Structure formats: structure tokens, C-alpha cells
Amino acid sequence: MLKNMRLISYLIISIGCSFISCKYSVSARHADKIDSIPGRTWWKEAVIYQIYPRSFKDNDGDGVGDLKGIISKLDYIKSLGVDAVWLNPIYQSPNYDNGYDVSDYYKIQPQYGTMQDFDSLLQGLHERGIKLVMDIVVNHSSSQHDWFKQSRSSRTNPYRNYYHWWNAEKGKPTPRYSFFDVNNDAWKYDTLTNAYYLHYFAQQQPDLNWENSALREDIYKMLRFWLDKGVDGLRMDAFQFIAKDTTFPPFPAGYEKNIAKYYGNGPHLHDYIQEMSKEVLSKYPVMTVAEGADTSPEDAMKFVDPARHEFSMAYHFEGIDYGKYKPNYDLIGFKKIYSYWDSCFENKGWLAIFLANHDQPRMVSHWGNDAPQFRNVSSKMLTTFVMTMRGTPYYYYGDELGMDNIKFDKIEDYRDISTINAYQHEKNTGGDLEKFIEDKKRSARDNGRTPFQWDGNDNAGFTTGTPWIKINSDYKTVNEAAEEKDSNSVLNYFRKIVKLRKNNPVLVYGKYTLLDKDNPNVYAYTRELNGRKMLIVLNFKNKPATVNTGINLAKATLLLDNYSTPPEGNSLQPYEAVIYEL
Ligand code: NOJ
């Protein structure tokens, strides 16, 4: 009887959702007392959709995505129900690191279009009620930036101190590890002035010297330029690294295994952020999100404690780095990390929630299961996790289709400097190249950078030219056009759950409580706010599992399930995701 009632209520809800554009309207009994929520703000309630501009949509047929391409898809973006778009860097750049090496902060990368295109894009987004978050890359610039050209030209050039130089007559500088350098050496010797310059990333990405107030002023000027245009948010790239101890003291052996600890939180980091906030950020209604900030929740809190007037929110890496891309990661540890970080930010501060971005492999391949029988269902399950945790969801383009890793089997297919240089390093040091290629099928960033799959036509409808990177061969079946037609698709599930989150502040602000914490297969938790309570149950495994939440579901209403039949008792099907209202 109970089962039948649940089935009926389930059918009513799912039929409503499939055919009438479900509003998940909040009944009077359950209405969240929204106005009484302290610290309410748009960016906590927003779902942010990340677009990798090179790979979203090519308008001019050169094989590279561009701004006009994004403009042509604004109605699609609107249809997702997201509130803001985060664009990876679109500034002029020689593209060694796909735009994270900026040669002019005031110009648009010509491959992407013009400043006029940018203005039209911003206007088009705003007309649709969507905000724009720009990527701000100021730990380093491109070596082709005019500042660097001047800086390297002579030791007395006024821009010399815009970067970190070490004169060679002092001997070799203390070693610093570089993420992208073939030799992992962050000091590059330059004959022109007989000195070394610092680059934490590639040689073409010299680190800017934040200790120099003239540089900081130039950065603030640049930020005002974009904020005056009406940009709504800033994603602060590698920000925990900007401040350095310019005496460059030695670090203990093996320090490179914990870079965040040694490179992060340098002297005066928070003085610089507070200065920037006073000079610029506080004068605009802007949301800011710090990348990294992840040595510990205490360190991360320093960036986002409202009393400190620094950034709006931060994303930490402990979750995303968990398991280091190994299959069969331990779910109990995963739950521990997210629960711990949530508890540290329960009363103040705010975090981002994400399972993928342009530095990661595809969400479904990394955290779910991209085998054909599980790709859809595990994509939906992971999406359910991202959309029901506390924190602002950052959702990566293509994950709403269930796009998966391309898994290149030769180095020539890769475009990413970090993979190409690491391969070269492996080769130079006699490493196992076959193993390297195998590992990269799981971990490489290019897995997440392949073109968006719009339809089943040539080049997945991404370009009429030759795409800058190969397109995943599964585009014939995994594509937007096909998923539009299927009410059961990953895409339509994403739309439903975005709506659910947006119409239910309990999913945004509600207290998070982990249940059945030692269950190795299932992640279960409640979210609770002003008398409303939701239960989320997620089977992270490819086999049936049971859950013991201790909650009597007799009066529960099933709000969403990624299977077409509701769960029986405490049993869940592989990768099943269920949301109940209690
Ligand atoms: C972090 C960015 O997310 C990544 O893509 C980039 O390579 C580095 N910062 C360097 O800017």
C-alpha cells in the first residue's frame, strides 16, 4: 500500500516534470522562510556554468570557439536555467597555456573576436538575466606582455620590478619547482641581463611581482576597466600564490609534494587582497571567487570570512584532488572531506562546489562511470551531488550532456602544455612513456577540453573547419540535439535539478548532515532549513547498494530520481540518486 502510494506520488511528480515544465513549487506548508535567511545573496543561490571558450562553439570556421559562437548559443545557455557564466580567459594571449598567459589584459584574443563582440556577449547575457564571471590571471602574465618585454630589456627599466629577477652574479637562485616546465625548474636564465626570472608555471608565464605597488596599481586599473563594463564576477586564478618571500629562502627537500603549503599564503597575501578590495572590489557589486586557497579550511576561511572584506567565496582542491584519478576511490574518505569542509564553513564564509573544470578530466570519467550502460545514470547522480550540497555549484560545459574523457592514445593528439612538457620530462628522464599515456587517459586536462557536442553532424556541429583538438568520437550519440528530444536525457535531468535547487532555498542554505557515514557505497545526507528537510541518497557504485539512514520514509515525498522507477525500501540501483522531501 505504502509502496503504491509512493509510486503514485512519484508518477505525479515525474509526469508533471516531464510534460509541464515542473516548477517544483513550494507548498504553503513547506514554504521556506526565505526572508529570514541571514546573508542571502545572488551568488550563493546561483548555479554557475563554466564555458571553455576555445571549445564551445566556433562561428567563423577557424576550428576555434569564439565569442560570436557563444552569442549564437545564448538561448541554449538560458534554457539550462543557470544564473551566471564563467568564461576562461579571453584576453589577448600567445596561448601557450590557452589564455592563462595574457599578453594584453585590455584586448580580446583575436581568435575569439573583438571588444565589440565582448560587449554584445555581455549585453546578450544581461538581457537574459545571466551574469558574467571573468577569469583574472595576475599571478603571472605572458612573456609577450609589454611589461615583461620592458622588464627583461635592462636592469634599470622602470618595469624591471614588475617581475621577479635574480641576478646571476649572486649565484644560482634557490630551487623553485615549476608546474609546467620540462625540467620543473621555475627559474629561467635570460642572457640579455644575465639574470634569472621566476615562473611557477611555464617559461612563457613569468610571475608578476605583487610586492611592487606600481604593479598592483596597474592591476587595479585593469580590474576597474572590466568592472566598469558591467562584469558581475571575477574568478581569481592561482591567487594563493601571488605573494612571495623575495629573499627566496630554501624549502625542505620534497617540498614540491605540497606546493600549496610552500607557495601559498606568502607574506602580505592578505594585505594585498584587502588593498585590492578597498581600492576596487568594494566599489562594485561584484562576486569574487578565489582559486585554490586550500592548504586548510582555516587558510581558506581567511579569504572569505565576510569580516575580513576579501573575496566572496573560494574553491578548495582537497575534494577534487582526492584519490588522484585512481579508479575505485574510497567513498568514505570522499564523504569525510566534503563533510569536514562543510562543517568549517557552516557559520560563515562560503565555498564553491564542483567536480570538474578545465583543469580536470571529465566529471563522469573521473568520479562516475563512462561505460555506455552507466554513463547517463552516473552523470545524473554526480550532478545531483553538485546541485544538492551547500556551496555554489560550478558546472562545466558539456557535463550536462554527460560528455566523457577522450582518452588520447598518443602524445601528438594532446594540446595542453602541461601534458606535452610532462611527457618530454618523462622522456628525458627515461620514464615509462606507455604508462604515462595510460595515466593521462584518466587524468589529462585535455580530456575536459574537447569541443562541445552540439549534434551528430560533421565535427559535432562545433565548427565547419578543422577543430583545434579532436572531437570525442561518441558525438554521434552524445550530443545536445539528441538529448533535447529525450525527456530522460542527462541534459533534461540537469535542467530539472537546476530548477529544483533554485526553487528550494533549503538546498542552498540548509544545514547539511551526513548520514550512514561508514557506508562504503552510498553517500546520504539531509539538508534542513526553517522546518523543511530534504534527504539525498546517492549510490556511487556500479552495483546495487543499500542505505541505512534511520529515517522513516513513510511520509516522504519523492522529488527526483535518476531511474524511472522509485527505489524499493533501502535498496538502490547502480548509481541511483534520489531526493526526498521529509
Ligand atoms: C590555474 C588555471 O585553472 C590553469 O588552467 C592554469 O594553467 C594555471 N592556473 C596557470 O594560470
Side-chain angles (χ1 to χ4, degrees):
M1 170 69 177
L2 174 65
K3 202 173 139 199
N4 285 346
M5 280 174 62
R6 282 179 53 205
L7 185 60
I8 291 166
S9 99
Y10 173 81
L11 286 175
I12 292 170
I13 288 168
S14 51
I15 289 168
C17 291
S18 310
F19 300 114
I20 324 169
S21 154
C22 180
K23 293 275 183 299
Y24 295 102
S25 53
V26 178
S27 71
R29 179 172 72 88
H30 286 312
D32 295 359
K33 296 176 200 97
I34 296 176
D35 295 335
S36 64
I37 300 167
R40 276 197 73 192
T41 169
W42 72 266
W43 45 262
K44 291 184 181 168
E45 295 172 18
V47 173
I48 298 183
Y49 183 67
Q50 182 189 350
I51 291 183
Y52 199 63
R54 275 187 96 67
S55 293
F56 195 61
K57 173 72 184 162
D58 175 23
N59 177 70
D60 61 7
D62 67 354
V64 174
D66 47 41
L67 300 186
K68 282 206 172 104
I70 300 174
I71 293 170
S72 72
K73 295 296 182 184
L74 284 177
D75 288 336
Y76 169 74
I77 298 167
K78 175 75 185 161
S79 80
L80 298 175
V82 299
D83 305 88
V85 164
W86 154 27
L87 279 188
N88 291 98
I90 52 166
Y91 317 97
Q92 182 181 291
S93 162
N95 260 330
Y96 284 97
D97 187 19
N98 287 359
Y100 283 93
D101 46 328
V102 180
S103 55
D104 191 331
Y105 292 98
Y106 294 92
K107 291 208 177 110
I108 301 293
Q109 163 74 288
Q111 280 178 320
Y112 292 163
T114 61
M115 194 57 88
Q116 216 176 349
D117 296 335
F118 174 82
D119 292 338
S120 309
L121 172 61
L122 184 60
Q123 191 185 342
L125 285 165
H126 284 172
E127 278 166 7
R128 289 166 180 79
I130 301 171
K131 299 191 190 297
L132 179 64
V133 179
M134 298 280 280
D135 216 313
I136 301 297
V137 191
V138 287
N139 171 71
H140 44 272
S141 74
S142 158
S143 52
Q144 292 182 29
H145 194 291
D146 191 52
W147 294 338
F148 189 72
K149 288 186 186 160
Q150 300 241 20
S151 182
R152 76 179 280 253
S153 67
S154 91
R155 288 188 180 187
T156 53
N157 186 284
Y159 286 93
R160 184 66 170 181
N161 287 330
Y162 269 45
Y163 297 86
H164 296 281
W165 290 97
W166 183 275
N167 292 339
E169 61 272 17
K170 293 199 285 179
K172 280 195 120 193
T174 5
R176 286 293 180 269
Y177 178 89
S178 160
F179 296 105
F180 298 164
D181 188 68
V182 173
N183 301 316
N184 298 131
D185 181 356
W187 290 107
K188 165 89 176 144
Y189 177 69
D190 192 19
T191 45
L192 207 57
T193 55
N194 187 34
Y196 298 84
Y197 68 84
L198 183 73
H199 61 92
Y200 279 176
F201 295 91
Q203 289 181 4
Q204 297 83 355
Q205 295 168 292
D207 280 45
L208 287 162
N209 180 6
W210 274 73
E211 282 59 47
N212 180 348
S213 61
L215 175 270
R216 299 204 299 277
E217 277 309 321
D218 262 330
I219 302 274
Y220 303 159
K221 192 169 129 209
M222 178 273 285
L223 293 179
R224 284 185 204 108
F225 172 81
W226 291 101
L227 292 169
D228 285 338
K229 278 184 172 288
V231 162
D232 310 279
L234 307 175
R235 179 258 186 197
M236 313 305 284
D237 183 71
F239 225 78
Q240 77 276 40
F241 298 154
I242 58 161
K244 277 121 186 155
D245 177 346
T246 51
T247 64
F248 294 104
F251 292 148
Y255 75 93
E256 68 279 1
K257 298 200 176 62
N258 192 355
I259 284 281
K261 175 166 172 211
Y262 291 94
Y263 283 12
N265 304 309
H268 306 297
L269 170 64
H270 293 282
D271 298 337
Y272 301 151
I273 301 176
Q274 285 177 13
E275 180 186 85
M276 179 167 62
S277 172
K278 187 159 155 266
E279 297 281 320
V280 187
L281 306 176
S282 61
K283 303 201 161 85
Y284 297 85
V286 61
M287 177 280 274
T288 46
V289 53
E291 187 201 23
D294 70 329
T295 26
S296 67
E298 293 73 30
D299 283 337
M301 181 59 85
K302 289 191 190 141
F303 288 85
V304 297
D305 179 346
R308 295 171 56 88
H309 304 289
E310 298 193 17
F311 293 140
S312 313
M313 63 174 132
Y315 54 92
H316 70 81
F317 287 150
E318 201 175 342
I320 202 82
D321 282 348
Y322 181 67
K324 293 275 177 240
Y325 312 109
K326 295 213 172 61
N328 306 322
Y329 57 93
D330 168 26
L331 184 69
I332 294 177
F334 181 91
K335 294 195 271 190
K336 227 186 244 166
I337 291 173
Y338 284 95
S339 303
Y340 178 57
W341 279 82
D342 182 86
S343 70
C344 298
F345 287 76
E346 184 170 1
N347 298 319
K348 62 175 179 183
W350 197 256
L351 292 174
I353 291 287
F354 66 106
L355 285 178
N357 63 28
H358 64 290
D359 292 331
Q360 300 294 327
R362 278 285 166 191
M363 175 175 82
V364 69
S365 305
H366 188 181
W367 303 108
N369 190 327
D370 58 15
Q373 71 273 34
F374 293 128
R375 191 180 54 80
N376 281 5
V377 78
S378 71
S379 288
K380 292 175 186 175
M381 185 277 290
L382 296 168
T383 297
T384 313
F385 171 73
V386 175
M387 294 296 158
T388 57
M389 289 292 284
R390 181 159 39 196
T392 301
Y394 282 69
Y395 200 84
Y396 192 51
Y397 86 101
D399 282 348
E400 77 274 27
L401 304 179
M403 280 176 61
D404 54 359
N405 282 2
I406 192 159
K407 303 177 185 162
F408 289 134
D409 50 22
K410 50 181 194 312
I411 191 66
E412 291 73 24
D413 286 333
Y414 281 99
R415 298 288 174 266
D416 176 14
I417 189 168
S418 81
T419 305
I420 294 170
N421 284 359
Y423 181 87
Q424 195 55 45
H425 176 85
E426 215 52 26
K427 201 168 171 182
N428 296 349
T429 54
D432 182 342
L433 295 176
E434 252 171 60
K435 179 172 180 304
F436 180 92
I437 292 289
E438 272 318 297
D439 287 351
K440 291 294 165 198
K441 289 181 184 174
R442 289 196 61 79
S443 63
R445 310 198 291 185
D446 277 344
N447 282 305
R449 296 177 174 185
T450 62
F452 191 92
Q453 295 163 200
W454 291 103
D455 55 42
N457 298 325
D458 287 352
N459 294 326
F462 163 69
T463 181
T464 52
T466 308
W468 70 278
I469 189 169
K470 281 188 178 162
I471 293 174
N472 198 315
S473 59
D474 64 12
Y475 75 90
K476 293 268 179 212
T477 48
V478 182
N479 65 63
E480 190 253 338
E483 295 199 27
E484 288 292 353
K485 289 185 215 127
D486 174 5
S487 63
N488 222 357
S489 63
V490 180
L491 174 60
N492 282 315
Y493 185 88
F494 176 68
R495 289 181 173 129
K496 278 179 209 165
I497 199 160
V498 168
K499 234 178 237 173
L500 180 72
R501 182 175 177 100
K502 297 216 52 76
N503 288 329
N504 290 282
V506 58
L507 291 175
V508 176
Y509 296 105
K511 181 180 166 51
Y512 158 96
T513 307
L514 177 66
L515 305 172
D516 202 8
K517 78 174 177 14
D518 295 324
N519 189 324
N521 305 317
V522 179
Y523 196 157
Y525 47 96
T526 52
R527 303 292 312 279
E528 210 173 332
L529 180 78
N530 294 338
R532 292 195 69 202
K533 192 167 180 179
M534 287 192 185
L535 169 67
I536 297 97
V537 184
L538 311 168
N539 180 3
F540 268 69
K541 296 293 157 80
N542 64 358
K543 49 188 189 316
T546 54
V547 60
N548 183 8
T549 61
I551 293 175
N552 179 354
L553 293 176
K555 292 207 181 107
T557 309
L558 186 58
L559 293 183
L560 200 63
D561 188 345
N562 61 351
Y563 275 82
S564 52
T565 50
E568 295 205 2
N570 289 335
S571 307
L572 297 163
Q573 302 187 60
Y575 299 110
E576 183 157 15
V578 196
I579 306 179
Y580 299 95
E581 170 112 35
L582 300 177

